[in-house]
Amino acid sequence: MKLPDYALQPGQTVLDVLMAAGLVSSKSDGRRMIEQKGVKLDGVVLEKFDAAFPHAGALQVGKRRFVRVK
């Protein structure tokens, strides 16, 4: 399965990337997914929605939504 790509912009937060990549429908939806530990980057749970996006990798939201952040 080929993952869709998303080009990371400088200064984006985790929540910004979720919204811009179309993985969540709203910022409140994104916050809820992060609070419920449903957002992973390379298999590691992301816990802070307002933190700067850590690094490029495979971003997963829930069980079935994936995007490759470059």
Side-chain angles (χ1 to χ4, degrees):
M1 179 177 109
K2 175 122 172 61
L3 297 180
D5 289 337
Y6 174 75
L8 183 63
Q9 305 299 317
Q12 280 189 313
T13 65
V14 174
L15 197 55
D16 292 337
V17 173
L18 293 176
M19 284 290 299
L23 294 171
V24 294
S25 57
S26 65
K27 286 195 172 193
S28 59
D29 186 29
R31 283 190 197 97
R32 186 173 56 252
M33 289 300 290
I34 291 168
E35 287 169 4
Q36 294 174 355
K37 308 213 182 304
V39 179
K40 296 179 183 176
L41 180 63
D42 291 336
V44 178
V45 175
L46 297 178
E47 297 182 355
K48 294 185 179 178
F49 59 84
D50 56 350
F53 200 80
H55 56 82
L59 183 63
Q60 176 183 358
V61 177
K63 288 185 177 180
R64 297 183 179 92
R65 290 177 281 178
F66 292 89
V67 72
R68 176 173 289 122
V69 179
K70 291 187 172 186

